[in-house]
């Protein structure tokens, strides 16, 4: 059991559509980060949410947006989907720390396929 | 810019063989390094981590890694692999003063029974 729950596990979308991915963090964790893992690559940081605000952002276009709710769960939204957005999207949660990654727990991910 | 690189992309070993996966980092200052494993269809799991102190770090499942500052390396080792070690392995490091993890490209390990 990862402790971090992501839904859905798999998703197929058409180019130009919009998608929302969901993440429930591990109990006791209040910081949520999202990563994109393309095939054959390491995960790439998208952004991090803490106290319902985006705290850090990686090199991703504005088509990628997110939200954190008062219960610490989070959503990742991607608009105007491109074929290149096909990837495994990982959610990671942690307790808030100065460096924020000592206690990262990852979910199993959502596999997004854009056709 | 801070980066982490893994030079072995695909490794195939027979059971009981010894394993060493390479990881190099390129930044100065305080060095924190991690090895994660991703078994097929499962979530990323932390194998071991280095923050400071003893450069030889012991992790779970019999894995260990050695931090060699002069070589900017943090190689993962296991004396005798099992078929169940078949997975993808990632070296990672936290970006200075932020919460994000920088990952290497990953190494796919296939262990033949």
């Amino acid at each position: 059991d990862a402790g971090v729950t992501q839904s859905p596990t798999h998703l197929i979308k058409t180019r130009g559509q919009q998608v929302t991915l969901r993440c429930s963090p591990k109990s006791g964790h209040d910081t949520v980060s999202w990563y994109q893992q393309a095939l054959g690559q390491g995960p790439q940081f998208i952004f991090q949410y803490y106290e319902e605000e985006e705290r850090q952002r990686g090199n991703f276009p504005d088509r990628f947006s997110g939200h954190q709710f008062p219960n610490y769960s989070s959503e990742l939204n991607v608009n105007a989907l491109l074929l290149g957005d096909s990837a495994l999207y990982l959610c990671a949660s942690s307790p808030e720390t100065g460096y924020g990654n000592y206690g990262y727990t990852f979910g199993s991910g959502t596999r997004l396929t854009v056709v | 810019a801070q980066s982490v690189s893994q030079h072995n992309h695909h490794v195939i070993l027979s059971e009981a063989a010894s394993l060493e996966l390479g990881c190099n980092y390129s930044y100065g200052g305080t060095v924190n390094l991690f090895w994660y494993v991703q078994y097929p269809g499962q979530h990323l799991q932390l194998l071991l981590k280095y923050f400071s102190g003893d450069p030889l770090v012991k992790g779970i499942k019999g894995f260990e890694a050695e931090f060699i500052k002069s070589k900017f390396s943090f190689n993962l080792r296991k004396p005798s692999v099992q078929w169940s070690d078949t997975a993808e392995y990632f070296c990672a490091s936290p970006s200075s003063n932020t919460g994000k993890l920088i990952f290497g490209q990953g190494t796919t390990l296939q262990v033949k029974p």
Side-chain angles (χ1 to χ4, degrees):
Chain A
D1 181 14
V4 174
T5 304
Q6 291 188 244
S7 64
T9 55
H10 295 83
L11 202 53
I12 300 175
K13 288 287 189 177
T14 304
R15 276 181 300 175
Q17 285 189 315
Q18 179 265 343
V19 68
T20 298
L21 311 181
R22 295 176 176 81
C23 172
S24 294
K26 182 178 179 178
S27 178
H29 287 185
D30 55 9
T31 302
V32 173
S33 300
W34 287 92
Y35 291 80
Q36 180 196 64
Q37 186 179 3
L39 199 61
Q41 301 294 320
Q44 299 291 316
F45 176 78
I46 303 175
F47 42 53
Q48 183 183 84
Y49 277 84
Y50 172 67
E51 291 188 338
E52 302 179 49
E53 290 192 357
E54 184 182 290
R55 183 162 67 173
Q56 293 286 336
R57 188 177 182 90
N59 189 24
F60 280 80
D62 292 344
R63 297 186 298 108
F64 289 77
S65 63
H67 189 77
Q68 186 178 34
F69 298 94
N71 66 353
Y72 309 124
S73 67
S74 177
E75 289 182 348
L76 164 65
N77 300 293
V78 186
N79 294 321
L81 284 167
L82 304 174
L83 295 179
D85 295 331
S86 296
L88 180 68
Y89 288 85
L90 298 171
C91 173
S93 73
S94 68
E96 202 277 338
T97 67
Y99 282 77
N101 59 350
Y102 294 169
Y104 270 170
T105 300
F106 282 84
S108 298
T110 294
R111 173 73 62 188
L112 172 64
T113 301
V114 182
V115 298
Chain B
Q2 185 176 349
S3 68
V4 174
S5 63
Q6 296 176 241
H7 18 271
N8 315 103
H9 296 299
H10 199 148
V11 174
I12 302 174
L13 295 173
S14 298
E15 276 194 313
S18 64
L19 170 72
E20 181 161 2
L21 302 182
C23 171
N24 288 95
Y25 64 93
S26 63
Y27 63 98
T30 303
V31 177
N32 298 324
L33 292 159
F34 303 82
W35 274 99
Y36 283 88
V37 61
Q38 189 174 34
Y39 298 105
Q42 295 189 26
H43 60 279
L44 279 165
Q45 298 176 38
L46 183 65
L47 275 177
L48 47 79
K49 56 188 176 183
Y50 171 79
F51 289 142
S52 63
D54 190 344
L56 185 61
V57 180
K58 303 284 188 182
I60 61 172
K61 303 178 188 286
F63 287 91
E64 65 178 31
E66 185 175 11
F67 172 65
I68 303 179
K69 188 175 181 180
S70 61
K71 296 184 178 179
F72 298 92
S73 70
F74 188 58
N75 292 353
L76 181 71
R77 302 194 294 243
K78 187 172 185 178
S80 176
V81 295
Q82 301 172 316
W83 175 80
S84 58
D85 293 323
T86 294
E88 193 151 14
Y89 292 81
F90 293 96
C91 185
S93 182
S95 178
S96 302
N97 299 320
T98 74
K100 74 175 186 179
L101 279 172
I102 297 172
F103 286 85
Q105 302 94 315
T107 297
T108 301
L109 172 65
Q110 182 182 355
V111 180
K112 294 184 174 180

